[in-house]
Each structure stands twice: as C-alpha cells, then as structure tokens.
C-alpha cells in the first residue's frame, strides 16, 4: 500500500464517518475497476485533500458547489453534503451554497441539487409550501 493511498484512506475515513467501504460502495467503482478506485483515493484524497492550504470544510464547500454545478453527479454530491455536515456545515449553509450556484450554473442545476439532497437538508415542514396551501 503506497503512502498516497494511506493518506487518502485516512482522509476518506475522516470525511465518511470512518467508513471507507461505504464511501467506495456509493460509486461502486471498486467492483468493476479496482485500480481506478485506488487511483481516486490516491489522487483526490491522498494528494489533493491532504494539502494544507484549505481546510476539509473549505474543500467540501468547493466540492458541493462543483458537483451541484455539473448537474449530473447526485451520488457524489450527496456523499460530499454528508461529509460537510459531519464537518460542521449547517443545513442552511449547504442550502445557501446550492442556491448560490444558480448564478453561475443556472436555476436547473441549483434546483436539481436541492432536490437530490432534499432528505439530507429538510428540517421539518416547508414553510413556503404549507403557507400557500
């Protein structure tokens, strides 16, 4: 096991509440491309996430905004929203990030990201939804 992979595993364990297996199963990459799964852990987490210039919190903000802007990365977006919540980002901060991307990526990307993460972000009844009924 390379040092890059060990660093990556440590980061993934930290971000995914100690469950590397759950993190890797979310994308199911390891089932069909184990070398690629290893490369993702090494590069994304062992090399990039382990750099010191940004905190994990800041990196999760970037990840959420980027993944939501893509408009087709729901499983990865959900994984990073969960990691951000674990790192202390509030639901309202994450909602605000997802609203902010509407400026740069358009309303459909923002609306889809909010819908994709609805169950992770909902806090009781929607005031706007119930006040118009």
């Amino acid at each position: 096991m390379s040092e890059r992979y060990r660093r990556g595993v440590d980061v993934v364990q930290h971000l995914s509440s100690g469950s590397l297996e759950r993190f890797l199963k979310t994308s199911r990459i390891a089932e069909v491309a184990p070398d690629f799964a290893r490369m993702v852990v090494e590069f994304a987490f062992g090399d990039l996430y382990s750099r010191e210039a940004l905190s994990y919190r800041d990196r999760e903000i970037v990840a959420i905004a980027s993944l939501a802007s893509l408009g087709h990365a729901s499983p990865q977006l959900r994984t990073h929203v969960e990691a951000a919540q674990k790192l202390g980002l509030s639901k309202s901060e994450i909602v605000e990030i997802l609203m902010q991307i509407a400026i740069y990526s358009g309303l459909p990307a923002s609306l889809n990201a909010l819908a994709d993460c609805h169950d992770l972000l909902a806090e009781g009844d929607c005031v706007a939804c119930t006040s118009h009924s």
Side-chain angles (χ1 to χ4, degrees), residues 77-115:
L77 175 61
R78 290 178 57 81
T79 296
H80 286 279
V81 165
E82 289 176 329
Q85 289 174 322
K86 181 184 178 296
L87 293 170
L89 267 83
S90 69
K91 291 178 181 184
S92 62
E93 288 174 309
I94 295 168
V95 167
E96 202 64 33
I97 293 164
L98 296 176
M99 289 172 53
Q100 182 74 19
I101 68 149
I103 298 168
Y104 306 102
S105 301
L107 286 170
S110 184
L111 291 168
N112 289 341
L114 286 161

PDB file of all heavy atoms in Angstrom, residues 77-115:
ATOM      1  N   LEU A  77     -22.453  14.209  -5.013  1.00  0.00           N
ATOM      2  CA  LEU A  77     -22.934  15.396  -4.298  1.00  0.00           C
ATOM      3  C   LEU A  77     -23.456  15.004  -2.922  1.00  0.00           C
ATOM      4  O   LEU A  77     -23.108  15.624  -1.914  1.00  0.00           O
ATOM      5  CB  LEU A  77     -24.030  16.093  -5.111  1.00  0.00           C
ATOM      6  CG  LEU A  77     -24.722  17.275  -4.436  1.00  0.00           C
ATOM      7  CD1 LEU A  77     -23.738  18.391  -4.117  1.00  0.00           C
ATOM      8  CD2 LEU A  77     -25.862  17.785  -5.315  1.00  0.00           C
ATOM      9  N   ARG A  78     -24.265  13.970  -2.862  1.00  0.00           N
ATOM     10  CA  ARG A  78     -24.822  13.532  -1.584  1.00  0.00           C
ATOM     11  C   ARG A  78     -23.717  13.111  -0.610  1.00  0.00           C
ATOM     12  O   ARG A  78     -23.760  13.428   0.570  1.00  0.00           O
ATOM     13  CB  ARG A  78     -25.816  12.379  -1.801  1.00  0.00           C
ATOM     14  CG  ARG A  78     -27.105  12.840  -2.479  1.00  0.00           C
ATOM     15  CD  ARG A  78     -28.051  11.675  -2.726  1.00  0.00           C
ATOM     16  NE  ARG A  78     -28.372  10.954  -1.497  1.00  0.00           N
ATOM     17  CZ  ARG A  78     -29.285  11.336  -0.614  1.00  0.00           C
ATOM     18  NH1 ARG A  78     -29.977  12.445  -0.806  1.00  0.00           N
ATOM     19  NH2 ARG A  78     -29.518  10.608   0.464  1.00  0.00           N
ATOM     20  N   THR A  79     -22.710  12.411  -1.129  1.00  0.00           N
ATOM     21  CA  THR A  79     -21.587  11.987  -0.287  1.00  0.00           C
ATOM     22  C   THR A  79     -20.886  13.199   0.310  1.00  0.00           C
ATOM     23  O   THR A  79     -20.556  13.222   1.506  1.00  0.00           O
ATOM     24  CB  THR A  79     -20.589  11.145  -1.115  1.00  0.00           C
ATOM     25  OG1 THR A  79     -21.252   9.950  -1.535  1.00  0.00           O
ATOM     26  CG2 THR A  79     -19.359  10.790  -0.310  1.00  0.00           C
ATOM     27  N   HIS A  80     -20.683  14.235  -0.503  1.00  0.00           N
ATOM     28  CA  HIS A  80     -19.973  15.422  -0.006  1.00  0.00           C
ATOM     29  C   HIS A  80     -20.859  16.288   0.886  1.00  0.00           C
ATOM     30  O   HIS A  80     -20.351  16.925   1.814  1.00  0.00           O
ATOM     31  CB  HIS A  80     -19.365  16.202  -1.168  1.00  0.00           C
ATOM     32  CG  HIS A  80     -18.159  15.511  -1.725  1.00  0.00           C
ATOM     33  ND1 HIS A  80     -16.919  15.606  -1.143  1.00  0.00           N
ATOM     34  CD2 HIS A  80     -18.023  14.683  -2.786  1.00  0.00           C
ATOM     35  CE1 HIS A  80     -16.055  14.872  -1.831  1.00  0.00           C
ATOM     36  NE2 HIS A  80     -16.702  14.292  -2.824  1.00  0.00           N
ATOM     37  N   VAL A  81     -22.164  16.298   0.654  1.00  0.00           N
ATOM     38  CA  VAL A  81     -23.066  17.001   1.574  1.00  0.00           C
ATOM     39  C   VAL A  81     -23.024  16.328   2.943  1.00  0.00           C
ATOM     40  O   VAL A  81     -22.931  17.003   3.975  1.00  0.00           O
ATOM     41  CB  VAL A  81     -24.513  17.060   1.008  1.00  0.00           C
ATOM     42  CG1 VAL A  81     -25.520  17.448   2.092  1.00  0.00           C
ATOM     43  CG2 VAL A  81     -24.574  18.044  -0.158  1.00  0.00           C
ATOM     44  N   GLU A  82     -23.047  15.013   2.971  1.00  0.00           N
ATOM     45  CA  GLU A  82     -22.955  14.293   4.246  1.00  0.00           C
ATOM     46  C   GLU A  82     -21.624  14.573   4.941  1.00  0.00           C
ATOM     47  O   GLU A  82     -21.582  14.781   6.154  1.00  0.00           O
ATOM     48  CB  GLU A  82     -23.140  12.791   4.028  1.00  0.00           C
ATOM     49  CG  GLU A  82     -24.567  12.412   3.679  1.00  0.00           C
ATOM     50  CD  GLU A  82     -24.729  10.939   3.359  1.00  0.00           C
ATOM     51  OE1 GLU A  82     -23.770  10.323   2.831  1.00  0.00           O
ATOM     52  OE2 GLU A  82     -25.812  10.403   3.618  1.00  0.00           O
ATOM     53  N   ALA A  83     -20.537  14.597   4.176  1.00  0.00           N
ATOM     54  CA  ALA A  83     -19.224  14.891   4.761  1.00  0.00           C
ATOM     55  C   ALA A  83     -19.200  16.318   5.304  1.00  0.00           C
ATOM     56  O   ALA A  83     -18.667  16.561   6.393  1.00  0.00           O
ATOM     57  CB  ALA A  83     -18.123  14.698   3.721  1.00  0.00           C
ATOM     58  N   ALA A  84     -19.780  17.246   4.562  1.00  0.00           N
ATOM     59  CA  ALA A  84     -19.807  18.646   5.012  1.00  0.00           C
ATOM     60  C   ALA A  84     -20.584  18.777   6.317  1.00  0.00           C
ATOM     61  O   ALA A  84     -20.170  19.508   7.230  1.00  0.00           O
ATOM     62  CB  ALA A  84     -20.420  19.531   3.925  1.00  0.00           C
ATOM     63  N   GLN A  85     -21.700  18.069   6.416  1.00  0.00           N
ATOM     64  CA  GLN A  85     -22.474  18.106   7.655  1.00  0.00           C
ATOM     65  C   GLN A  85     -21.665  17.533   8.809  1.00  0.00           C
ATOM     66  O   GLN A  85     -21.680  18.078   9.917  1.00  0.00           O
ATOM     67  CB  GLN A  85     -23.793  17.345   7.483  1.00  0.00           C
ATOM     68  CG  GLN A  85     -24.766  18.067   6.577  1.00  0.00           C
ATOM     69  CD  GLN A  85     -26.017  17.267   6.292  1.00  0.00           C
ATOM     70  OE1 GLN A  85     -25.975  16.050   6.133  1.00  0.00           O
ATOM     71  NE2 GLN A  85     -27.142  17.954   6.214  1.00  0.00           N
ATOM     72  N   LYS A  86     -20.928  16.474   8.549  1.00  0.00           N
ATOM     73  CA  LYS A  86     -20.075  15.884   9.582  1.00  0.00           C
ATOM     74  C   LYS A  86     -19.008  16.876  10.039  1.00  0.00           C
ATOM     75  O   LYS A  86     -18.624  16.909  11.200  1.00  0.00           O
ATOM     76  CB  LYS A  86     -19.426  14.611   9.064  1.00  0.00           C
ATOM     77  CG  LYS A  86     -18.534  13.927  10.079  1.00  0.00           C
ATOM     78  CD  LYS A  86     -17.845  12.718   9.488  1.00  0.00           C
ATOM     79  CE  LYS A  86     -16.932  12.055  10.473  1.00  0.00           C
ATOM     80  NZ  LYS A  86     -15.813  12.870  10.904  1.00  0.00           N
ATOM     81  N   LEU A  87     -18.549  17.713   9.107  1.00  0.00           N
ATOM     82  CA  LEU A  87     -17.510  18.697   9.419  1.00  0.00           C
ATOM     83  C   LEU A  87     -18.070  19.975  10.037  1.00  0.00           C
ATOM     84  O   LEU A  87     -17.316  20.897  10.335  1.00  0.00           O
ATOM     85  CB  LEU A  87     -16.722  19.051   8.153  1.00  0.00           C
ATOM     86  CG  LEU A  87     -15.873  17.916   7.586  1.00  0.00           C
ATOM     87  CD1 LEU A  87     -15.346  18.295   6.214  1.00  0.00           C
ATOM     88  CD2 LEU A  87     -14.731  17.583   8.535  1.00  0.00           C
ATOM     89  N   GLY A  88     -19.383  20.037  10.207  1.00  0.00           N
ATOM     90  CA  GLY A  88     -19.974  21.168  10.905  1.00  0.00           C
ATOM     91  C   GLY A  88     -20.704  22.183  10.052  1.00  0.00           C
ATOM     92  O   GLY A  88     -21.215  23.171  10.587  1.00  0.00           O
ATOM     93  N   LEU A  89     -20.771  21.996   8.739  1.00  0.00           N
ATOM     94  CA  LEU A  89     -21.572  22.912   7.933  1.00  0.00           C
ATOM     95  C   LEU A  89     -23.032  22.685   8.273  1.00  0.00           C
ATOM     96  O   LEU A  89     -23.496  21.538   8.332  1.00  0.00           O
ATOM     97  CB  LEU A  89     -21.359  22.671   6.438  1.00  0.00           C
ATOM     98  CG  LEU A  89     -20.282  23.536   5.788  1.00  0.00           C
ATOM     99  CD1 LEU A  89     -18.918  22.933   6.017  1.00  0.00           C
ATOM    100  CD2 LEU A  89     -20.558  23.712   4.326  1.00  0.00           C
ATOM    101  N   SER A  90     -23.740  23.756   8.486  1.00  0.00           N
ATOM    102  CA  SER A  90     -25.155  23.631   8.818  1.00  0.00           C
ATOM    103  C   SER A  90     -25.970  23.373   7.559  1.00  0.00           C
ATOM    104  O   SER A  90     -25.510  23.624   6.439  1.00  0.00           O
ATOM    105  CB  SER A  90     -25.650  24.918   9.482  1.00  0.00           C
ATOM    106  OG  SER A  90     -25.665  25.981   8.532  1.00  0.00           O
ATOM    107  N   LYS A  91     -27.168  22.877   7.766  1.00  0.00           N
ATOM    108  CA  LYS A  91     -28.062  22.656   6.624  1.00  0.00           C
ATOM    109  C   LYS A  91     -28.322  23.965   5.903  1.00  0.00           C
ATOM    110  O   LYS A  91     -28.342  23.996   4.669  1.00  0.00           O
ATOM    111  CB  LYS A  91     -29.365  22.017   7.104  1.00  0.00           C
ATOM    112  CG  LYS A  91     -29.167  20.592   7.580  1.00  0.00           C
ATOM    113  CD  LYS A  91     -30.439  19.976   8.092  1.00  0.00           C
ATOM    114  CE  LYS A  91     -30.149  18.556   8.559  1.00  0.00           C
ATOM    115  NZ  LYS A  91     -31.343  17.856   8.975  1.00  0.00           N
ATOM    116  N   SER A  92     -28.486  25.051   6.651  1.00  0.00           N
ATOM    117  CA  SER A  92     -28.755  26.344   5.998  1.00  0.00           C
ATOM    118  C   SER A  92     -27.547  26.820   5.188  1.00  0.00           C
ATOM    119  O   SER A  92     -27.724  27.424   4.127  1.00  0.00           O
ATOM    120  CB  SER A  92     -29.195  27.395   7.018  1.00  0.00           C
ATOM    121  OG  SER A  92     -28.186  27.643   7.957  1.00  0.00           O
ATOM    122  N   GLU A  93     -26.328  26.542   5.640  1.00  0.00           N
ATOM    123  CA  GLU A  93     -25.144  26.908   4.853  1.00  0.00           C
ATOM    124  C   GLU A  93     -25.088  26.108   3.551  1.00  0.00           C
ATOM    125  O   GLU A  93     -24.774  26.653   2.487  1.00  0.00           O
ATOM    126  CB  GLU A  93     -23.863  26.660   5.655  1.00  0.00           C
ATOM    127  CG  GLU A  93     -23.637  27.643   6.776  1.00  0.00           C
ATOM    128  CD  GLU A  93     -22.437  27.279   7.631  1.00  0.00           C
ATOM    129  OE1 GLU A  93     -22.341  26.109   8.082  1.00  0.00           O
ATOM    130  OE2 GLU A  93     -21.597  28.174   7.847  1.00  0.00           O
ATOM    131  N   ILE A  94     -25.408  24.823   3.627  1.00  0.00           N
ATOM    132  CA  ILE A  94     -25.370  23.982   2.432  1.00  0.00           C
ATOM    133  C   ILE A  94     -26.466  24.406   1.458  1.00  0.00           C
ATOM    134  O   ILE A  94     -26.224  24.511   0.252  1.00  0.00           O
ATOM    135  CB  ILE A  94     -25.473  22.493   2.805  1.00  0.00           C
ATOM    136  CG1 ILE A  94     -24.226  22.084   3.612  1.00  0.00           C
ATOM    137  CG2 ILE A  94     -25.623  21.623   1.557  1.00  0.00           C
ATOM    138  CD1 ILE A  94     -24.328  20.734   4.293  1.00  0.00           C
ATOM    139  N   VAL A  95     -27.653  24.694   1.968  1.00  0.00           N
ATOM    140  CA  VAL A  95     -28.732  25.191   1.105  1.00  0.00           C
ATOM    141  C   VAL A  95     -28.290  26.484   0.426  1.00  0.00           C
ATOM    142  O   VAL A  95     -28.505  26.675  -0.771  1.00  0.00           O
ATOM    143  CB  VAL A  95     -30.034  25.383   1.908  1.00  0.00           C
ATOM    144  CG1 VAL A  95     -31.066  26.186   1.114  1.00  0.00           C
ATOM    145  CG2 VAL A  95     -30.602  24.031   2.326  1.00  0.00           C
ATOM    146  N   GLU A  96     -27.653  27.359   1.163  1.00  0.00           N
ATOM    147  CA  GLU A  96     -27.184  28.624   0.597  1.00  0.00           C
ATOM    148  C   GLU A  96     -26.154  28.394  -0.512  1.00  0.00           C
ATOM    149  O   GLU A  96     -26.186  29.068  -1.545  1.00  0.00           O
ATOM    150  CB  GLU A  96     -26.589  29.494   1.712  1.00  0.00           C
ATOM    151  CG  GLU A  96     -26.555  30.964   1.409  1.00  0.00           C
ATOM    152  CD  GLU A  96     -27.931  31.595   1.249  1.00  0.00           C
ATOM    153  OE1 GLU A  96     -28.897  31.177   1.913  1.00  0.00           O
ATOM    154  OE2 GLU A  96     -28.024  32.532   0.430  1.00  0.00           O
ATOM    155  N   ILE A  97     -25.251  27.436  -0.317  1.00  0.00           N
ATOM    156  CA  ILE A  97     -24.279  27.081  -1.361  1.00  0.00           C
ATOM    157  C   ILE A  97     -25.022  26.618  -2.614  1.00  0.00           C
ATOM    158  O   ILE A  97     -24.709  27.046  -3.734  1.00  0.00           O
ATOM    159  CB  ILE A  97     -23.316  25.975  -0.877  1.00  0.00           C
ATOM    160  CG1 ILE A  97     -22.410  26.488   0.240  1.00  0.00           C
ATOM    161  CG2 ILE A  97     -22.482  25.430  -2.046  1.00  0.00           C
ATOM    162  CD1 ILE A  97     -21.710  25.381   1.017  1.00  0.00           C
ATOM    163  N   LEU A  98     -26.012  25.756  -2.421  1.00  0.00           N
ATOM    164  CA  LEU A  98     -26.754  25.226  -3.556  1.00  0.00           C
ATOM    165  C   LEU A  98     -27.599  26.293  -4.239  1.00  0.00           C
ATOM    166  O   LEU A  98     -27.821  26.231  -5.451  1.00  0.00           O
ATOM    167  CB  LEU A  98     -27.602  24.031  -3.120  1.00  0.00           C
ATOM    168  CG  LEU A  98     -26.792  22.825  -2.620  1.00  0.00           C
ATOM    169  CD1 LEU A  98     -27.714  21.725  -2.114  1.00  0.00           C
ATOM    170  CD2 LEU A  98     -25.853  22.302  -3.691  1.00  0.00           C
ATOM    171  N   MET A  99     -28.054  27.277  -3.500  1.00  0.00           N
ATOM    172  CA  MET A  99     -28.766  28.405  -4.107  1.00  0.00           C
ATOM    173  C   MET A  99     -27.791  29.309  -4.865  1.00  0.00           C
ATOM    174  O   MET A  99     -28.092  29.783  -5.952  1.00  0.00           O
ATOM    175  CB  MET A  99     -29.503  29.205  -3.031  1.00  0.00           C
ATOM    176  CG  MET A  99     -30.694  28.480  -2.458  1.00  0.00           C
ATOM    177  SD  MET A  99     -31.432  29.301  -1.022  1.00  0.00           S
ATOM    178  CE  MET A  99     -31.721  30.941  -1.617  1.00  0.00           C
ATOM    179  N   GLN A 100     -26.619  29.534  -4.304  1.00  0.00           N
ATOM    180  CA  GLN A 100     -25.610  30.420  -4.894  1.00  0.00           C
ATOM    181  C   GLN A 100     -25.175  29.950  -6.280  1.00  0.00           C
ATOM    182  O   GLN A 100     -24.912  30.764  -7.157  1.00  0.00           O
ATOM    183  CB  GLN A 100     -24.399  30.506  -3.959  1.00  0.00           C
ATOM    184  CG  GLN A 100     -23.300  31.411  -4.412  1.00  0.00           C
ATOM    185  CD  GLN A 100     -23.628  32.890  -4.261  1.00  0.00           C
ATOM    186  OE1 GLN A 100     -24.522  33.254  -3.509  1.00  0.00           O
ATOM    187  NE2 GLN A 100     -22.926  33.734  -4.983  1.00  0.00           N
ATOM    188  N   ILE A 101     -25.129  28.646  -6.491  1.00  0.00           N
ATOM    189  CA  ILE A 101     -24.666  28.160  -7.800  1.00  0.00           C
ATOM    190  C   ILE A 101     -25.620  28.518  -8.919  1.00  0.00           C
ATOM    191  O   ILE A 101     -25.241  28.483 -10.088  1.00  0.00           O
ATOM    192  CB  ILE A 101     -24.382  26.640  -7.806  1.00  0.00           C
ATOM    193  CG1 ILE A 101     -25.661  25.843  -7.661  1.00  0.00           C
ATOM    194  CG2 ILE A 101     -23.339  26.268  -6.763  1.00  0.00           C
ATOM    195  CD1 ILE A 101     -25.608  24.518  -8.352  1.00  0.00           C
ATOM    196  N   ALA A 102     -26.854  28.887  -8.585  1.00  0.00           N
ATOM    197  CA  ALA A 102     -27.817  29.282  -9.620  1.00  0.00           C
ATOM    198  C   ALA A 102     -27.285  30.461 -10.439  1.00  0.00           C
ATOM    199  O   ALA A 102     -27.542  30.558 -11.634  1.00  0.00           O
ATOM    200  CB  ALA A 102     -29.161  29.632  -8.996  1.00  0.00           C
ATOM    201  N   ILE A 103     -26.503  31.320  -9.812  1.00  0.00           N
ATOM    202  CA  ILE A 103     -25.938  32.478 -10.508  1.00  0.00           C
ATOM    203  C   ILE A 103     -24.996  32.029 -11.607  1.00  0.00           C
ATOM    204  O   ILE A 103     -24.989  32.583 -12.699  1.00  0.00           O
ATOM    205  CB  ILE A 103     -25.177  33.392  -9.523  1.00  0.00           C
ATOM    206  CG1 ILE A 103     -26.118  33.931  -8.459  1.00  0.00           C
ATOM    207  CG2 ILE A 103     -24.471  34.523 -10.268  1.00  0.00           C
ATOM    208  CD1 ILE A 103     -25.383  34.599  -7.301  1.00  0.00           C
ATOM    209  N   TYR A 104     -24.194  31.021 -11.330  1.00  0.00           N
ATOM    210  CA  TYR A 104     -23.124  30.619 -12.234  1.00  0.00           C
ATOM    211  C   TYR A 104     -23.477  29.412 -13.095  1.00  0.00           C
ATOM    212  O   TYR A 104     -22.946  29.262 -14.188  1.00  0.00           O
ATOM    213  CB  TYR A 104     -21.849  30.331 -11.431  1.00  0.00           C
ATOM    214  CG  TYR A 104     -21.494  31.508 -10.565  1.00  0.00           C
ATOM    215  CD1 TYR A 104     -21.781  31.506  -9.211  1.00  0.00           C
ATOM    216  CD2 TYR A 104     -20.915  32.639 -11.118  1.00  0.00           C
ATOM    217  CE1 TYR A 104     -21.489  32.606  -8.422  1.00  0.00           C
ATOM    218  CE2 TYR A 104     -20.625  33.748 -10.342  1.00  0.00           C
ATOM    219  CZ  TYR A 104     -20.914  33.724  -8.995  1.00  0.00           C
ATOM    220  OH  TYR A 104     -20.636  34.822  -8.223  1.00  0.00           O
ATOM    221  N   SER A 105     -24.344  28.557 -12.601  1.00  0.00           N
ATOM    222  CA  SER A 105     -24.647  27.310 -13.304  1.00  0.00           C
ATOM    223  C   SER A 105     -26.091  27.215 -13.768  1.00  0.00           C
ATOM    224  O   SER A 105     -26.440  26.275 -14.462  1.00  0.00           O
ATOM    225  CB  SER A 105     -24.346  26.117 -12.406  1.00  0.00           C
ATOM    226  OG  SER A 105     -22.996  26.153 -12.030  1.00  0.00           O
ATOM    227  N   GLY A 106     -26.918  28.134 -13.334  1.00  0.00           N
ATOM    228  CA  GLY A 106     -28.311  28.151 -13.745  1.00  0.00           C
ATOM    229  C   GLY A 106     -29.256  27.567 -12.705  1.00  0.00           C
ATOM    230  O   GLY A 106     -28.850  26.808 -11.834  1.00  0.00           O
ATOM    231  N   LEU A 107     -30.506  27.980 -12.843  1.00  0.00           N
ATOM    232  CA  LEU A 107     -31.532  27.503 -11.923  1.00  0.00           C
ATOM    233  C   LEU A 107     -31.739  25.994 -11.983  1.00  0.00           C
ATOM    234  O   LEU A 107     -31.899  25.361 -10.937  1.00  0.00           O
ATOM    235  CB  LEU A 107     -32.854  28.225 -12.181  1.00  0.00           C
ATOM    236  CG  LEU A 107     -32.882  29.671 -11.693  1.00  0.00           C
ATOM    237  CD1 LEU A 107     -34.129  30.376 -12.213  1.00  0.00           C
ATOM    238  CD2 LEU A 107     -32.827  29.722 -10.180  1.00  0.00           C
ATOM    239  N   PRO A 108     -31.743  25.358 -13.167  1.00  0.00           N
ATOM    240  CA  PRO A 108     -31.954  23.900 -13.168  1.00  0.00           C
ATOM    241  C   PRO A 108     -30.912  23.140 -12.337  1.00  0.00           C
ATOM    242  O   PRO A 108     -31.268  22.232 -11.585  1.00  0.00           O
ATOM    243  CB  PRO A 108     -31.863  23.526 -14.655  1.00  0.00           C
ATOM    244  CG  PRO A 108     -32.332  24.757 -15.358  1.00  0.00           C
ATOM    245  CD  PRO A 108     -31.754  25.895 -14.543  1.00  0.00           C
ATOM    246  N   ALA A 109     -29.645  23.518 -12.453  1.00  0.00           N
ATOM    247  CA  ALA A 109     -28.606  22.831 -11.665  1.00  0.00           C
ATOM    248  C   ALA A 109     -28.850  23.026 -10.176  1.00  0.00           C
ATOM    249  O   ALA A 109     -28.728  22.093  -9.385  1.00  0.00           O
ATOM    250  CB  ALA A 109     -27.216  23.329 -12.053  1.00  0.00           C
ATOM    251  N   SER A 110     -29.204  24.241  -9.789  1.00  0.00           N
ATOM    252  CA  SER A 110     -29.458  24.541  -8.383  1.00  0.00           C
ATOM    253  C   SER A 110     -30.681  23.785  -7.873  1.00  0.00           C
ATOM    254  O   SER A 110     -30.651  23.157  -6.807  1.00  0.00           O
ATOM    255  CB  SER A 110     -29.641  26.052  -8.212  1.00  0.00           C
ATOM    256  OG  SER A 110     -29.800  26.386  -6.863  1.00  0.00           O
ATOM    257  N   LEU A 111     -31.761  23.833  -8.624  1.00  0.00           N
ATOM    258  CA  LEU A 111     -32.985  23.135  -8.230  1.00  0.00           C
ATOM    259  C   LEU A 111     -32.774  21.626  -8.148  1.00  0.00           C
ATOM    260  O   LEU A 111     -33.249  20.974  -7.211  1.00  0.00           O
ATOM    261  CB  LEU A 111     -34.111  23.451  -9.220  1.00  0.00           C
ATOM    262  CG  LEU A 111     -34.628  24.885  -9.178  1.00  0.00           C
ATOM    263  CD1 LEU A 111     -35.520  25.160 -10.388  1.00  0.00           C
ATOM    264  CD2 LEU A 111     -35.356  25.174  -7.879  1.00  0.00           C
ATOM    265  N   ASN A 112     -32.061  21.067  -9.114  1.00  0.00           N
ATOM    266  CA  ASN A 112     -31.798  19.629  -9.095  1.00  0.00           C
ATOM    267  C   ASN A 112     -30.935  19.233  -7.907  1.00  0.00           C
ATOM    268  O   ASN A 112     -31.178  18.195  -7.277  1.00  0.00           O
ATOM    269  CB  ASN A 112     -31.137  19.184 -10.403  1.00  0.00           C
ATOM    270  CG  ASN A 112     -32.095  19.229 -11.568  1.00  0.00           C
ATOM    271  OD1 ASN A 112     -33.299  19.252 -11.395  1.00  0.00           O
ATOM    272  ND2 ASN A 112     -31.545  19.272 -12.771  1.00  0.00           N
ATOM    273  N   ALA A 113     -29.937  20.029  -7.593  1.00  0.00           N
ATOM    274  CA  ALA A 113     -29.073  19.721  -6.451  1.00  0.00           C
ATOM    275  C   ALA A 113     -29.873  19.762  -5.148  1.00  0.00           C
ATOM    276  O   ALA A 113     -29.710  18.894  -4.289  1.00  0.00           O
ATOM    277  CB  ALA A 113     -27.907  20.703  -6.398  1.00  0.00           C
ATOM    278  N   LEU A 114     -30.730  20.760  -5.009  1.00  0.00           N
ATOM    279  CA  LEU A 114     -31.570  20.840  -3.812  1.00  0.00           C
ATOM    280  C   LEU A 114     -32.507  19.632  -3.729  1.00  0.00           C
ATOM    281  O   LEU A 114     -32.692  19.057  -2.653  1.00  0.00           O
ATOM    282  CB  LEU A 114     -32.361  22.145  -3.802  1.00  0.00           C
ATOM    283  CG  LEU A 114     -31.527  23.383  -3.470  1.00  0.00           C
ATOM    284  CD1 LEU A 114     -32.235  24.649  -3.911  1.00  0.00           C
ATOM    285  CD2 LEU A 114     -31.207  23.420  -1.980  1.00  0.00           C
ATOM    286  N   ALA A 115     -33.073  19.243  -4.848  1.00  0.00           N
ATOM    287  CA  ALA A 115     -33.964  18.069  -4.863  1.00  0.00           C
ATOM    288  C   ALA A 115     -33.179  16.788  -4.561  1.00  0.00           C
ATOM    289  O   ALA A 115     -33.650  15.937  -3.795  1.00  0.00           O
ATOM    290  CB  ALA A 115     -34.663  17.962  -6.216  1.00  0.00           C
TER     291      ALA A 115
END
